Amino acid sequence: GENVEQHPSTLSVQEGDSAVIKCTYSDSASNYFPWYKQELGKGPQLIIDIRSNVGEKKDQRIAVTLNKTAKHFSLHITETQPEDSAVYFCAANMFSGGYNKLIFGAGTRLAVHP
Amino acid sequence: EAQVTQNPRYLITVTGKKLTVTCSQNMNHEYMSWYRQDPGLGLRQIYYSMNVEVTDKGDVPEGYKVSRKEKRNFPLILESPSPNQTSLYFCASSWKQGGLGGYTFGSGTRLTVV
């Protein structure tokens, strides 16, 4: 079945540095790749997503890149701030029994130190 | 405010005592889903619902039941909870099937079965 691997599991950076989280997926038919941010005590929240017809998408300090040939996609956060500290999940869609579903990675705990 | 509301936030119960976790959304979404979150495993889908009276198993359905009698509500039922169901549970809804376009997640229910 579909598998999404996410690395690293933990990431520690200094405020102002960049952070990169990488994910690989196994189903070549996947065409939707969202990223979720989960703050302490809250549910995951969609922060950015990308579809397979584009290679990169930006929204202020965050960007996502997609390499369909290599089946991997990455989240880039520039000029990190303490409020970026959270757990980040990547996901990829897969078709199963005629229906779409999302398969999530295991998560990356990002700590941004002032 | 558009939201998914889960109750309770925290629950400690004993093995075998039936319990229900409620979930309600106010966005008129047709698609709803239950996930469990465990360390190192990310978010795994338990059950999903395409619409009223239409539900199906996700990746880890054993030991769980759901119902969808109204569009806004999607309760998760544990008929005979066991310690391996100790986890963090999230309800989510989406305007698009399978979470494509983005899920709105509830704040989570932390369940402990002793």
Side-chain angles (χ1 to χ4, degrees):
Chain A
E2 171 71 288
N3 184 46
V4 176
E5 293 191 3
Q6 182 171 348
H7 299 281
S9 57
T10 60
L11 181 59
S12 182
V13 300
Q14 290 297 124
E15 182 176 0
D17 287 350
S18 294
V20 181
I21 303 170
K22 299 181 179 181
C23 289
T24 60
Y25 61 97
S26 57
D27 188 349
S28 56
S30 296
N31 60 4
Y32 175 69
F33 309 92
W35 285 89
Y36 285 82
K37 175 184 181 182
Q38 184 180 22
E39 296 176 339
L40 197 61
K42 296 184 178 180
Q45 183 176 13
L46 179 71
I47 54 172
I48 195 168
D49 57 13
I50 191 168
R51 297 184 183 275
S52 59
N53 56 345
V54 296
E56 184 176 5
K57 184 177 179 180
K58 286 184 180 179
D59 184 2
Q60 299 182 346
R61 294 187 298 107
I62 61 173
V64 58
T65 58
L66 172 65
N67 183 327
K68 283 219 74 179
T69 303
K71 290 192 280 190
H72 66 72
F73 57 111
S74 301
L75 179 71
H76 305 253
I77 307 174
T78 58
E79 301 172 29
T80 53
Q81 301 167 3
E83 51 265 38
D84 294 328
S85 296
V87 177
Y88 291 81
F89 291 99
C90 64
N93 72 310
M94 76 167 280
F95 296 96
S96 176
Y99 298 108
N100 252 308
K101 66 176 181 180
L102 287 182
I103 305 297
F104 287 85
T108 296
R109 184 173 299 277
L110 172 66
V112 180
H113 302 285
Chain B
E1 179 189 355
Q3 60 185 1
V4 175
T5 303
Q6 287 179 238
N7 280 296
R9 288 294 307 274
Y10 301 92
L11 180 58
I12 301 174
T13 190
V14 296
T15 298
K17 186 177 181 182
K18 180 179 178 179
L19 67 91
T20 299
V21 183
T22 64
C23 173
S24 181
Q25 52 97 1
N26 62 0
M27 294 163 283
N28 202 35
H29 287 165
E30 291 184 349
Y31 189 87
M32 297 185 74
S33 186
W34 276 101
Y35 286 88
R36 61 179 287 174
Q37 181 180 352
D38 301 290
L41 296 176
L43 294 152
R44 294 179 295 166
Q45 191 179 51
I46 303 170
Y47 267 93
Y48 65 91
S49 172
M50 304 284 283
N51 211 328
V52 175
E53 302 291 2
V54 181
T55 63
D56 206 349
K57 297 176 181 178
D59 297 314
V60 287
E62 293 77 22
Y64 304 95
K65 285 176 57 177
V66 294
S67 70
R68 188 95 181 269
K69 293 182 168 53
E70 306 162 282
K71 197 172 189 178
R72 63 183 292 125
N73 296 324
F74 190 43
L76 179 69
I77 303 154
L78 284 72
E79 294 269 359
S80 182
S82 62
N84 65 10
Q85 293 178 298
T86 292
S87 188
L88 179 58
Y89 291 86
F90 288 101
C91 180
S93 73
S94 171
W95 66 279
K96 237 176 169 182
Q97 182 258 318
L100 272 61
Y103 273 125
T104 300
F105 281 90
S107 296
T109 296
R110 186 167 291 282
L111 172 65
T112 303
V113 183
V114 298

